[in-house]
Amino acid sequence: MASEMEFSQHSKVKRRSPWHGPMVLVLLFFVVILVMSLAFRVSKIEVINASEYTDEEIISASGVERGANLFFVDRFKAASMIFSDLPYMDTVSITRQLPNKIVIQAEGSAPAAYMVIDEEYWLLDRSGKMLGTTDSLTAGNYPEIRSLEPMTVLEGEDMLVEGTNAERLAVLQTILPALRAEDVSSLVEWIDLRDPANPSLRYDGRLTVYLGAEGEMLYRIAMLKNVVSQLAAEDAGTLYYTNGSAWTFSPD
């Protein structure tokens, strides 16, 4: 009996509390948070800048401060603040680099056209974002947009449109990048979006061009550039794009 009792006593096993594992995990979690908050502090803010704003203006607008915890920096909020404060901004990307660096990559919006709204000259970029008002002399460096009526316009915001005007804006968003890609924006006096299925523009001060509805806009603008190069310098009139690569010229 003694040996049995001795065996029984030595065979007892101490059991851990069921809370032991979760408590260890919670403790480790707080240790990790503490280490992150102490070790990863923002000490460098680099700006890769392709805009008209200074690096300091971009950093200030972002709200990112040196000494902040690297992992707690809200990149999306910072980008939103930059767009809100700096209307001439097109794209913003914010990334973290261990152990202590924030990189802000910013590209500015370039005026691509203008509109006359309530007797004011509004510049807009190729996506339709309103960049602010200017004088008539500056506006004259860009094509005038006609037959597009936004509901509201705010500096640094996309114009608000509805109905047929939404269709017209969608067409404009294909025309402006195409003009820029073919480097002919400076040759365009105005763009009329009255008929979004067949927009027109004034080209080189002597040609009224109807762009039609078929094919990629970049292709149509490239074809237009090629057709105009084959006309005589004194030729003036109207060009109609029909289908495929067919253009019809009607002289004045």
Side-chain angles (χ1 to χ4, degrees):
M1 288 292 292
S3 60
E4 290 181 4
M5 288 294 294
E6 184 178 352
F7 176 79
S8 177
Q9 289 173 357
H10 284 290
S11 65
K12 290 181 180 179
V13 178
K14 292 183 179 180
R15 296 185 179 181
R16 293 180 178 178
S17 167
W19 296 101
H20 179 79
M23 289 178 65
V24 170
L25 291 176
V26 170
L27 181 60
L28 287 174
F29 173 78
F30 281 107
V31 169
V32 170
I33 294 297
L34 179 62
V35 170
M36 289 174 58
S37 63
L38 294 176
F40 299 102
R41 294 284 180 177
V42 176
S43 61
K44 299 177 183 178
I45 304 176
E46 178 184 352
V47 180
I48 302 173
N49 192 357
S51 75
E52 65 179 41
Y53 300 106
T54 66
D55 292 358
E56 290 72 22
E57 287 175 321
I58 294 172
I59 293 172
S60 176
S62 74
V64 177
E65 297 180 350
R66 291 175 175 83
N69 183 275
L70 184 69
F71 292 98
F72 295 161
V73 171
D74 189 333
R75 294 175 296 163
F76 300 103
K77 180 181 178 181
S80 178
M81 291 173 64
I82 291 173
F83 283 124
S84 177
D85 289 357
L86 308 178
Y88 279 77
M89 197 64 73
D90 187 26
T91 60
V92 174
S93 172
I94 300 176
T95 56
R96 305 183 185 96
Q97 289 187 4
L98 294 175
N100 56 8
K101 188 176 182 180
I102 288 288
V103 178
I104 303 175
Q105 188 164 354
E107 183 176 350
S109 296
Y114 79 93
M115 299 174 62
V116 179
I117 303 173
D118 295 332
E119 299 183 354
E120 290 187 313
Y121 295 87
W122 279 84
L123 294 175
L124 59 150
D125 70 5
R126 64 182 184 271
S127 70
K129 183 170 74 173
M130 309 306 293
L131 302 179
T133 58
T134 187
D135 55 76
S136 60
L137 185 62
T138 301
N141 294 320
Y142 308 100
E144 178 188 2
I145 306 304
R146 299 178 177 178
S147 304
L148 178 60
E149 300 177 359
M151 297 171 61
T152 59
V153 290
L154 293 172
E155 185 176 3
E157 300 287 341
D158 294 335
M159 70 175 74
L160 182 61
V161 292
E162 63 179 6
T164 303
N165 283 301
E167 298 177 32
R168 291 167 176 161
L169 176 59
V171 172
L172 180 64
Q173 290 169 333
T174 65
I175 294 175
L176 292 178
L179 294 176
R180 180 180 178 181
E182 291 298 322
D183 196 26
V184 294
S185 298
S186 61
L187 296 175
V188 177
E189 179 182 343
W190 49 257
I191 301 169
D192 196 329
L193 302 165
R194 182 179 294 106
D195 181 3
N198 190 21
S200 60
L201 54 82
R202 186 67 175 174
Y203 191 91
D204 199 24
R206 59 193 175 96
L207 299 167
T208 298
V209 180
Y210 288 88
L211 294 169
E214 295 186 16
E216 292 290 332
M217 186 59 70
L218 180 59
Y219 174 76
R220 281 180 266 173
I221 297 299
M223 287 297 300
L224 168 64
K225 184 178 179 181
N226 181 60
V227 169
V228 172
S229 70
Q230 299 177 41
L231 297 175
E234 64 274 12
D235 286 340
T238 305
L239 276 168
Y240 301 90
Y241 181 81
T242 52
N243 56 68
S245 58
W247 286 85
T248 301
F249 175 60
S250 177
D252 288 342

